[in-house]
Amino acid sequence: MAKRAKGPDLPTRVTREAVLRFIAENPDQASKRDIAKAIGIKGSERIHLKDILGDLAAEGAIAGNRRSFQRPGALPDVGVLEIRGRDEDGGLLAEPVGWDEARLGERPRVPVRQESGRGPAAGIGERIVAKVETDEAGERFARVIRVLEKRRTVEIGVFRARPGGGGRVEPVERKQLEYAIAPGDEKGATDGDLVEIEPGARQRFGLPSASVLSVVGSMKSERAISTIALHAHSIPHVFPKVVLEEAERAGPATLDAREDWRALPLVTIDPADAKDHDDAVHAADDPDPANPGGMIVTVAIADVSWYVRPGSRLDAEALLRGNSVYFPDRVVPMLPERISNDLCSLREGVDRPALAVRMVLGGDGQKRSHRFHRIMMRSHAKLAYEAAQAAHDGAPNEVPEAITRDVLAPLWKAYALARRGRDKRQPLDLDLPERKIRLDEMGRVASVYVPERLDAHRLIEEFMILANVAAAEALEAARQALIYRAHDAPSLAKLEALRDFLRTLEIPLAQAGSLRPSHFNGILSLVRGGEHENLVNEVVLRSQSQAIYTPENIGHFGLNLARYAHFTSPIRRYADLVVHRALVTALGLGEGGLSAEDEERLEATAEAISRAERRAMAAERDTVDRLIAHHLTDRIGDAFDARIAGVTKAGLFVALPAYGADGFIPISTLGAEYFHYDEAGHAVIGERSGLGYRLGDRVEVKLKEAIPLAGSMVFEMQSEARKLPASTASFHKSRTGKGGRLRRTDKPARGRRRH
């Protein structure tokens, strides 16, 4: 390459090597002015320094501009980074956004340091503005300045190789593009691999380009579908070595500072395939003559706070995950198995530490008092829901007679009391069955079913709610900060939309100020058993706010409770672990309580675990969609019974009751006439005929397209449009004339709400 013309001789200290050495040693102070000042260049000599810098930049030896030069591969002192992974110790690693490897060399990774109580918290997949610093050992690290709104710069897809090199990447999300991979950009990916890619510049013609960043795994594996969801939603699923080592070092808890309750016949009642057991129950008549007909209910919960201490690696990992995530083919736990399935699992006949609450119920079913204890317990029986129900009903079962007589009978008696209190409280009573998928040995769908809802399920659920209320009340009484499980009342906008809809069915709705769950229950009872039952349940569900975690108490509208906190599942929810720690601190129950720094960060913690919960729900839903789409790939052209689960200006979402999944019917395929969208009536109506389709309608549809990787199915309507209720049609005309403006609605949520 041609060199620049040389000027007068520079001082001998002004050499290419000196400039390069200064830039390498001073990445935060490497502007042209800084270099000149450090080397001692003045006046006209600056021109020659400029020549040296120009030569080095042209050769690729340095990068940047006159304000800041770096060696290739160096990071700017402040920039936008994306957290892309973790090191073997579990620390976060970030990469610069928009890094040009061809010009700057290999993409650098820098550790992200976050200190409890200082600065915003960030996790994998998030983009941050960070300051890159150097510690005393000369190691670079990034300190988070702020977390940016998440905008994914990395996507995932399935690599399809081309003969001769390169290939294309098939999308695994509905709105994702297909990309072309040039020869040399495969990074070792082979045909059928799930890969992470970084999109490149858009092309005027052909597919947009991208380069492979890493190979996630093979799509031929049994867990390929859930692997897509894990990476698409940036869910941590591999425990760092240091976290596993910390878990393995933990030993059994002792009786020190604990009450010995091992003789109390507490039992666990869980799904038959449960691997961990975090709650146990017991009930007995209250001997207090002042409480005739009353009972004492005991709920014992695994003492996770004893093992997972604030500031530990286990704690940091649990907060990062937020909760366990449940897929049909696997569970991604919040805690390592050494903790969740061993030391904290309330196994039958094994001593285990627990936090227990004894609650006194009156004869009217109202809780009169409660008290928390830190105990050592021993489960006297491990029961499945079905077995417990059969034993109570007198059906054939394997439950010992003594357990049935002395433990289950009092539990059901206490449940009858608790139901009185619940019926008086009148929580929101939506009937939305949740479907489960059963897989075969190859990870494919074997069957889809609705689990039977037993009194055994309701019994445990009601006792857990009582315990959660007691936890919130105890902490409030002690003036201890905590994280609530909050559910706000429906917004005015949602209530107005619901009122518009119910008017089409000639059902009145009370004014917002006086609205209670009982009002919704009254509406649901009016339509129970009728043609509009499913429709009204769906619309009422959509009118509700989303439950969140927050240190501010706004009550729980759905459960009709003034205060509510999650206490009963610390193995799988970080919120419950925080409440356990708060109880330990507030009630003086020993070690493992809530630290002062944890209290200061409660708001940030609540936001983080609320995000993690939404992330988990989205990943679980996407996985079901992909599994069902894959299951039905061979049934293109077949007809299915369906129910309209969503109505939008673009078309209809239809749910397949037999499979628990849904698909889409474009509005342009509904018929020869133009269909108008009636937002208030949740319907589409033909412009000429006045016939249409409405939310909740049972219809027959034909499968036209299934894209398993994206979890997408497109259907064609087979049922004829019908005459809609006069109230809907007239209301539609009065509001919109011929059809009115078309506005967007969201795709409906599926399944039971999590309270």
Side-chain angles (χ1 to χ4, degrees):
M1 122 180 218
K3 297 285 185 182
R4 298 171 189 269
K6 286 188 173 288
D9 290 339
L10 292 173
T12 56
R13 63 182 176 276
V14 186
T15 63
R16 290 162 52 92
E17 290 71 24
V19 171
L20 286 171
R21 184 167 56 252
F22 179 83
I23 292 174
E25 294 175 352
N26 301 274
D28 296 336
Q29 296 177 321
S31 68
K32 180 181 174 183
R33 177 179 296 178
D34 293 329
I35 297 169
K37 183 176 180 181
I39 297 179
I41 297 176
K42 299 179 181 179
S44 61
E45 294 177 344
R46 292 176 181 270
I47 297 174
H48 306 295
L49 172 62
K50 179 180 178 182
D51 289 342
I52 288 179
L53 291 172
D55 286 340
L56 292 172
E59 295 167 8
I62 61 173
N65 53 42
R66 62 191 297 271
R67 294 185 177 182
S68 179
F69 292 96
Q70 307 96 29
R71 295 296 304 268
L75 288 164
D77 56 342
V78 175
V80 178
L81 310 179
E82 182 169 348
I83 300 176
R84 297 280 297 114
R86 288 186 287 182
D87 58 27
E88 62 179 11
D89 293 331
L92 298 175
L93 295 171
E95 298 178 355
V97 172
W99 187 265
D100 186 347
E101 290 191 2
R103 185 172 62 87
L104 301 176
E106 184 178 354
R107 184 186 304 265
R109 278 194 166 192
V110 60
V112 178
R113 294 187 185 175
Q114 300 186 93
E115 299 177 20
S116 180
R118 288 188 57 187
I124 292 177
E126 292 184 306
R127 298 168 74 238
I128 59 173
V129 175
K131 180 175 178 60
V132 178
E133 303 177 13
T134 304
D135 61 18
E136 295 178 355
E139 298 293 328
R140 292 179 308 169
F141 67 93
R143 191 181 302 283
V144 181
I145 297 175
R146 75 174 184 274
V147 179
L148 299 176
E149 181 180 354
K150 187 170 181 178
R151 188 181 68 197
R152 196 171 177 84
T153 59
V154 174
E155 298 182 6
I156 64 172
V158 176
F159 180 71
R160 300 301 182 192
R162 261 198 323 253
R168 60 187 177 85
V169 171
E170 293 180 351
V172 296
E173 294 180 336
R174 289 181 176 91
K175 297 181 180 180
Q176 186 177 318
L177 299 173
E178 186 173 341
Y179 292 94
I181 305 296
D185 287 339
E186 308 94 331
K187 294 289 179 68
T190 59
D191 191 74
D193 281 346
L194 183 66
V195 296
E196 288 185 324
I197 59 171
E198 183 171 46
R202 294 292 298 269
Q203 310 291 325
R204 279 190 75 181
F205 305 103
L207 296 177
S209 64
S211 58
V212 174
L213 292 176
S214 65
V215 176
V216 174
S218 173
M219 285 302 295
K220 299 174 183 177
S221 68
E222 295 176 4
R223 294 181 169 183
I225 299 298
S226 56
T227 298
I228 293 175
L230 290 173
H231 285 268
H233 294 278
S234 301
I235 294 176
H237 60 287
V238 177
F239 285 107
K241 182 180 178 181
V242 291
V243 174
L244 294 174
E245 289 174 345
E246 187 174 283
E248 289 300 323
R249 288 195 298 270
T254 66
L255 261 173
D256 295 345
R258 293 183 184 274
E259 299 176 50
D260 189 350
W261 284 22
R262 289 176 292 181
L264 185 70
L266 289 153
V267 299
T268 62
I269 306 178
D270 292 295
D273 59 352
K275 293 182 178 179
D276 56 66
H277 310 276
D278 54 7
D279 58 84
V281 292
H282 176 266
D285 293 330
D286 186 1
D288 186 353
N291 186 25
M295 299 198 74
I296 298 175
V297 174
T298 300
V299 174
I301 306 297
D303 190 358
V304 178
S305 64
W306 179 258
Y307 294 103
V308 183
R309 301 294 179 91
S312 66
R313 293 283 192 176
L314 277 169
D315 183 47
E317 183 69 17
L319 176 56
L320 185 66
R321 295 179 177 227
N323 46 244
S324 297
V325 186
Y326 296 85
F327 298 112
D329 62 341
R330 64 168 131 177
V331 175
V332 178
M334 184 180 78
L335 297 169
E337 287 192 5
R338 168 65 173 161
I339 303 296
S340 61
N341 292 356
D342 185 5
L343 294 176
C344 286
S345 185
L346 306 182
R347 296 178 174 179
E348 182 178 358
V350 180
D351 292 357
R352 285 290 182 258
L355 278 182
V357 56
R358 270 186 169 153
M359 300 172 287
V360 178
L361 303 185
D364 58 356
Q366 300 297 311
K367 179 170 67 66
R368 292 190 166 194
S369 64
H370 60 259
R371 184 169 181 176
F372 285 85
H373 307 257
R374 206 170 198 181
I375 68 168
M376 184 68 73
M377 61 158 285
R378 181 181 296 164
S379 172
H380 284 227
K382 169 190 170 183
L383 305 176
Y385 285 116
E386 295 78 7
Q389 187 70 54
H392 172 70
D393 294 342
N397 65 87
E398 298 178 356
V399 179
E401 183 180 347
I403 294 293
T404 301
R405 180 186 65 247
D406 300 334
V407 179
L408 294 184
L411 281 171
W412 252 265
K413 184 179 177 182
Y415 170 58
L417 278 187
R419 278 300 301 261
R420 293 182 196 173
R422 182 186 188 280
D423 293 343
K424 185 175 181 179
R425 193 177 80 241
Q426 287 203 51
L428 187 59
D429 190 19
L430 287 167
D431 183 18
L432 296 166
E434 184 178 9
R435 282 168 174 77
K436 299 283 188 181
I437 293 178
R438 186 179 290 112
L439 303 180
D440 61 19
E441 310 79 43
M442 301 299 294
R444 297 170 303 202
V445 176
S447 63
V448 180
Y449 64 101
V450 178
E452 184 180 3
R453 184 86 167 138
L454 304 172
D455 275 346
H457 293 101
R458 299 184 180 94
L459 179 153
I460 294 298
E461 183 178 279
E462 199 58 39
F463 289 167
M464 296 305 113
I465 290 173
L466 287 172
N468 288 336
V469 172
E473 291 176 348
L475 291 172
E476 281 193 359
R479 300 184 182 278
Q480 170 65 52
L482 71 146
I483 289 178
Y484 294 91
R485 178 61 166 178
H487 181 220
D488 206 354
S491 68
L492 292 176
K494 287 186 175 181
L495 285 177
E496 191 58 34
L498 177 62
R499 186 173 285 109
D500 286 347
F501 163 71
L502 292 175
R503 193 178 297 136
T504 69
L505 299 178
E506 299 180 350
I507 298 175
L509 180 65
Q511 293 301 310
S514 60
L515 207 59
R516 296 290 182 269
S518 58
H519 291 96
F520 291 103
N521 291 340
I523 291 168
L524 297 173
S525 66
L526 283 175
V527 298
R528 188 163 293 128
E531 63 172 317
H532 301 305
E533 180 177 6
N534 289 331
L535 167 64
V536 174
N537 269 269
E538 289 276 3
V539 177
V540 169
L541 171 63
R542 294 180 206 194
S543 71
Q544 302 304 305
S545 301
Q546 186 173 38
I548 60 170
Y549 293 107
T550 172
E552 300 297 326
N553 183 24
I554 59 174
H556 198 295
F557 181 83
L559 293 175
N560 199 15
L561 293 167
R563 55 195 58 81
Y564 190 66
H566 272 168
F567 159 74
T568 53
S569 295
I571 287 177
R572 63 183 180 90
R573 291 188 306 225
Y574 193 83
D576 304 55
L577 175 57
V578 172
V579 169
H580 274 234
R581 289 172 175 166
L583 287 166
V584 169
T585 295
L587 305 179
L589 298 178
E591 300 177 19
L594 198 66
S595 69
E597 287 184 343
D598 286 340
E599 274 198 44
E600 293 175 1
R601 287 186 53 80
L602 279 183
E603 185 172 353
T605 298
E607 291 177 0
I609 58 181
S610 293
R611 287 198 307 269
E613 180 185 51
R614 292 192 295 270
R615 176 182 70 188
M617 292 173 68
E620 291 166 3
R621 184 179 62 243
D622 288 353
T623 298
V624 170
D625 286 344
R626 290 187 175 101
L627 283 168
I628 297 301
H630 187 274
H631 182 54
L632 298 180
T633 302
D634 296 333
R635 299 190 60 183
I636 302 296
D638 285 1
F640 297 87
D641 291 328
R643 181 174 54 81
I644 297 178
V647 182
T648 75
K649 66 178 182 180
L652 306 175
F653 287 99
V654 291
L656 307 184
Y659 297 96
D662 61 24
F664 187 67
I665 301 177
I667 198 168
S668 60
T669 67
L670 285 178
E673 63 181 321
Y674 185 84
F675 280 80
H676 289 282
Y677 168 49
D678 179 357
E679 184 177 19
H682 295 271
V684 291
I685 303 173
E687 186 173 65
R688 294 194 311 270
S689 67
L691 305 179
Y693 302 94
R694 189 180 195 183
L695 184 71
D697 283 354
R698 297 186 180 279
V699 294
E700 184 179 89
V701 298
K702 180 190 291 185
L703 181 60
K704 299 293 291 182
E705 181 182 16
I707 307 174
L709 293 179
S712 175
M713 292 186 290
V714 178
F715 291 91
E716 183 179 87
M717 181 65 74
Q718 299 297 291
S719 298
E720 295 291 335
R722 68 184 181 94
K723 185 175 182 180
L724 299 176
S727 55
T728 302
S730 61
F731 187 69
H732 168 74
K733 290 177 182 177
S734 68
R735 286 284 300 271
T736 64
K738 282 191 174 183
R741 297 178 64 87
L742 305 181
R743 288 177 282 179
R744 180 184 65 82
T745 64
D746 293 328
K747 178 179 176 180
R750 295 201 315 275
R752 188 175 298 278
R753 289 186 68 86
R754 304 183 183 192
H755 59 256

